[in-house]
């Protein structure tokens, strides 16, 4: 009888030890899983966005909205002329996303297989306008005035690297203004330099994007370039093949095509492409 009791007691002890081990093991696995999940949730994703200079204010506003819902995404912007950004990317400068002010620069990166497959899209549409200082002392009222004595200096982007300058060059050629306007032209290293020169009265007028004119209260829009005088002004976007944060990059590009983002783009004078 005593032997039976001993056997039952030993069995019960072994059963309790086994159950305790299982429970401890289960809790340990649960805690470990919770730690992993917590670490993933708090992990910072860094994205570098190389974007045309004309997008500066717009992208900064968009970033503020995006970070409200995505606090773990660290967005860094590199704003410059699209041609400058293209060269930087070709030379290996870090970037996850590229937004160009023209197709030419995006085409160049595409031809060198630097874009992630299937990520290139047309994002925005813009316009080219003729602006003067706010007081418009020379009474410039139409685009044709740039060929007259009313204008001695006109600022445009450098067509070697600035899409706005390339559009300007195309406009002058198609309207037969080229020979008259070229001696009067001064060239900025990006479209914001052109805007600043007009704001400060250093030139009589300048050609900028409609969106650049919209952010300044020191200039006046006097004319819009005819649509048939230049190629459509389309801003393409793409993720670069070298990105180390593909999913985060895709999520941000998707956000830029939402109705919420469209309202911000339109506030700054852009139209959505497509």
């Amino acid at each position: 009888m005593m032997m039976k009791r001993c056997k039952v007691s030993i069995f019960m002890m072994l059963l309790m030890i086994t159950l305790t081990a299982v429970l401890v093991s289960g809790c340990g696995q649960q805690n470990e899983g919770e730690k992993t999940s917590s670490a993933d949730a708090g992990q910072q994703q860094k994205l570098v966005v190389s974007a045309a200079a004309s997008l500066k204010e717009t992208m900064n506003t968009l970033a503020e909205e995006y970070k409200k819902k995505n606090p773990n995404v660290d967005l860094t912007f590199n704003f410059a002329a699209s041609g400058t950004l293209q060269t930087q990317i070709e030379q290996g400068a870090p970037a996850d996303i590229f937004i160009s002010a023209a197709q030419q620069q995006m085409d160049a990166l595409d031809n060198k297989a630097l874009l992630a497959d299937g990520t290139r899209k047309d994002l925005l549409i813009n316009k080219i306008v003729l602006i003067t200082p706010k007081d418009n002392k020379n009474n410039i009222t139409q685009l044709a005035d740039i060929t007259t004595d009313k204008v001695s200096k006109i600022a445009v982007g450098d067509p070697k690297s600035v899409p706005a300058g390339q559009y300007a060059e195309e406009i002058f050629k198609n309207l037969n203004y080229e020979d008259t306007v070229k001696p009067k032209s001064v060239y900025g290293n990006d479209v914001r330099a052109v805007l600043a020169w007009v704001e400060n009265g250093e030139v009589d007028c300048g050609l900028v994007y409609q969106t650049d004119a919209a952010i300044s209260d020191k200039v006046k829009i006097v004319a819009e370039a005819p649509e048939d005088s230049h190629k459509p002004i389309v801003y393409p976007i793409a993720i670069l093949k070298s990105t180390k944060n593909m999913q985060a990059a895709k999520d941000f590009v998707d956000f830029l095509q939402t109705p919420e983002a469209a309202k911000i783009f339109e506030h700054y004078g852009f139209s959505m492409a497509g």
Side-chain angles (χ1 to χ4, degrees), residues 71-148:
N72 294 329
V73 178
D74 180 15
L75 289 167
T76 300
F77 292 100
N78 177 23
F79 297 109
S82 298
T84 300
L85 297 174
Q86 172 203 327
T87 301
Q88 290 175 355
I89 292 167
E90 289 172 340
Q91 293 176 349
D96 298 285
I97 297 168
F98 178 43
I99 312 175
S100 174
Q103 300 287 6
Q104 179 181 331
Q105 292 74 29
M106 193 68 77
D107 287 343
L109 298 185
D110 204 357
N111 292 336
K112 293 185 178 181
L114 295 176
L115 307 182
D117 294 340
T119 64
R120 179 176 177 172
K121 300 172 184 177
D122 289 342
L123 182 63
L124 303 167
I125 295 171
N126 211 338
K127 295 179 180 180
I128 289 284
V129 295
L130 178 68
I131 60 172
T132 67
K134 193 73 173 180
D135 56 18
N136 192 14
K137 291 178 181 178
N138 294 354
N139 194 32
I140 298 166
T141 60
Q142 57 184 338
L143 195 59
D145 285 344
I146 65 176
T147 64
T148 70

Side-chain angles (χ1 to χ4, degrees), residues 44-100:
Q44 285 289 314
Q45 297 286 320
K46 293 185 178 181
L47 289 178
V48 177
V49 181
S50 289
S54 52
L55 285 164
K56 186 175 182 179
E57 288 76 17
T58 314
M59 294 308 296
N60 285 336
T61 300
L62 285 161
E64 289 176 8
E65 292 303 312
Y66 190 71
K67 287 178 181 179
K68 289 177 183 177
K69 296 179 182 178
N70 301 273
N72 294 329
V73 178
D74 180 15
L75 289 167
T76 300
F77 292 100
N78 177 23
F79 297 109
S82 298
T84 300
L85 297 174
Q86 172 203 327
T87 301
Q88 290 175 355
I89 292 167
E90 289 172 340
Q91 293 176 349
D96 298 285
I97 297 168
F98 178 43
I99 312 175
S100 174

